[in-house]
Amino acid sequence: SAFDAMLEAEKEAGVTGPLINFTATFSYAICGACGGFTGKPALGQMWTLDDAMRHPEKYDYTPLNDITAAYEQRFTHSFNTQNPATDLQHQFLDDYSAHFPTTPVYIGEYHRVHANQTQDLDLILGLAEANELFLGISFFQYQV
């Protein structure tokens, strides 16, 4: 696991003090092959990662470090989407907050193409204010 390797590298380097969070950015696709949330965008992949971090033996992995504790303490979920802000509460945030009540999430690449950017950004930033776990967005592909 790359996550386990990063924890091992920190340990070998003697890293101390406040430690950074980790993320793995998923697409906003539906994952029919995932073990949970098979009809919801991004959540299936996050569910599978969560399951692997909590039960690595199910995935034929024996970690060198306590990846479960590190995941619970230092992980931030993320995904990329071009969906309109109006989709996110019912398609993602309601279920996310119920299933991952202590894990923050953000959108790593956000840009609603061919939309009124002012309105859409107002909506998405309002969602970040209204949802404690939703940290916000990183807007991309703009020009001045």
Side-chain angles (χ1 to χ4, degrees):
S1 150
F3 184 57
D4 196 20
M6 290 297 297
L7 297 175
E8 190 64 17
E10 285 180 341
K11 190 166 56 177
E12 287 179 13
V15 176
T16 60
L19 300 172
I20 64 165
N21 272 21
F22 292 92
T23 194
T25 303
F26 295 104
S27 77
Y28 201 60
I30 291 172
C31 178
C34 291
F37 294 105
T38 56
K40 292 283 190 167
L43 289 167
Q45 298 96 310
M46 291 176 186
W47 183 93
T48 302
L49 176 67
D50 184 82
D51 190 54
M53 293 294 186
R54 295 177 190 284
H55 310 285
E57 69 284 352
K58 285 175 55 177
Y59 299 86
D60 260 349
Y61 186 72
T62 304
L64 299 174
N65 299 281
D66 187 349
I67 62 172
T68 302
Y71 171 73
E72 290 172 348
Q73 296 164 9
R74 299 178 57 194
F75 207 83
T76 300
H77 283 139
S78 59
F79 63 97
N80 298 333
T81 186
Q82 293 183 21
N83 280 56
T86 54
D87 286 354
L88 293 177
Q89 188 69 51
H90 69 278
Q91 284 184 359
F92 180 82
L93 290 168
D94 291 338
D95 289 319
Y96 184 87
S97 297
H99 191 75
F100 302 102
T102 60
T103 307
V105 63
Y106 72 96
I107 300 175
E109 290 183 356
Y110 184 78
H111 179 192
R112 178 68 185 143
V113 180
H114 308 299
N116 180 314
Q117 298 303 308
T118 304
Q119 290 175 347
D120 197 63
L121 288 172
D122 280 346
L123 287 171
I124 196 97
L125 294 175
L127 288 174
E129 289 178 16
N131 292 272
E132 183 179 339
L133 295 173
F134 182 33
L135 301 177
I137 65 167
S138 174
F139 188 82
F140 79 113
Q141 291 184 329
Y142 65 93
Q143 67 186 80
V144 290

